[in-house]
Amino acid sequence: MTNNFEVDVLASGSKGNSTLIRAGNTAILIDAGISCRRIMKGLQSCGLEPQDLSGILITHEHTDHVMGLAVLCKNIPHVPIFANEKTWGRLAVRRSLSNEQRRVFPRGCVLGNIRVESFKVPHDAADTVGYKLFYKNDKCTYLTDCGYITKECEQAVEGSNTLILEANHDETLLRNGPYPKSLQERIAGHWGHLSNATAGKFLTELANRPEEVILAHLSEQNNTEAIAFNTVHEILANANEAKNIRIYVAHQRQLVSNRE
Ligand SMILES: [Zn+2]
Ligand SMILES: [Zn+2]
C-alpha cells in the first residue's frame, strides 16, 4: 500500500542534505545543504522548477543543511524560507532576504495542501528541529541530526506512513575509525547523531510503525549503505517486523525516491 507522500532525497549524508517532499500538488524542500546548481538539477529531474516550491524548511544551521541556501534564495525570491528564530540568528543570509522570503517558522503552518509542524531535536546547533508533514490521512516525518530519541521525537514519529530517519554511523566503525576520540564522542553523544542500531531499535519500539523508512544522513567515513540497510533490517527481522516496513537508503550523490 502506498501513501500520498512522494519523497525524493536529492542528497543525504554528512556532506550535504536536501529532500523534496510532495503531496496533493504541493512541493516542499527540506534543507538546502548542496549547491544551488545541484538542487535545481535534482528538482528538474523530478519535473519541477524551483519556483514551484511552496516553501523551504530549514532544520538547523550546519553547513551540510544550508550550503546552497544563499544562492538558491536569489534565484527564487518568491519562495518563502522557514527556520526558527535561533536558527535564523546563525544564518548570515538572513540579512539579504526580504521579509516576504525570510519567515520565522511558527510551530505549525499550512503550505499549499500540506500541513507542517516542527518538533525539537537534540543536536549541537542553535535550535534543531525535525518536521511532520500531513496530507489527508497521511503523515511523513523528517528526523535527522538527532543525538538521541527524546519523548518528543518519539511522539512526532508515531503513526507516520513515511519516515526519513537518520542512520548516521555503525557504532563499531566509528569506534575503530580514524576520527579523534573527541569527535567520536561528539558524534555518538547526546548532541550528535543516531547510529544504525539506535535507528533500528527505535523502529521496533514504536507503537504505530511506518510503512516505509528512508535511512538518511549516512556518514561517508563510518557507514556504508549496505551496513546501514543490513543492521536495520536485521533488527526488524528479529522483531518480526522486516516484512512490514520497506527500507530505502538515501545517498550522498544520487537521488533516491520512495517509489522505486
Ligand atoms: Zn547538524
Ligand atoms: Zn547534518
Side-chain angles (χ1 to χ4, degrees), residues 165-178:
L165 178 65
E166 172 163 58
N168 177 260
H169 57 276
D170 175 79
E171 289 167 13
T172 310
L173 280 184
L174 176 66
R175 217 169 22 243
N176 298 332

Side-chain angles (χ1 to χ4, degrees), residues 60 62 64-65 123-125 145 186 193 217:
H60 65 299
H62 286 162
D64 58 320
H65 298 262
H123 186 59
D124 54 359
D145 296 73
R186 199 219 117 205
H193 295 275
H217 210 296

Side-chain angles (χ1 to χ4, degrees), residues 113-145:
N113 294 314
I114 298 178
R115 175 163 179 79
V116 184
E117 290 173 16
S118 68
F119 57 97
K120 277 190 179 298
V121 175
H123 186 59
D124 54 359
D127 192 5
T128 308
V129 294
Y131 289 102
K132 298 176 271 184
L133 283 69
F134 300 90
Y135 174 74
K136 292 189 175 167
N137 291 322
D138 294 330
K139 175 178 177 184
C140 173
T141 305
Y142 186 95
L143 173 58
T144 69
D145 296 73

Side-chain angles (χ1 to χ4, degrees), residues 156-202:
V157 166
E158 277 291 349
S160 304
N161 305 81
T162 301
L163 172 63
I164 297 117
L165 178 65
E166 172 163 58
N168 177 260
H169 57 276
D170 175 79
E171 289 167 13
T172 310
L173 280 184
L174 176 66
R175 217 169 22 243
N176 298 332
Y179 285 0
K181 267 274 163 297
S182 59
L183 182 55
Q184 290 185 17
E185 279 164 14
R186 199 219 117 205
I187 293 169
H190 268 195
W191 301 94
H193 295 275
L194 287 186
S195 70
N196 299 334
T198 310
K201 196 164 156 281
F202 174 44

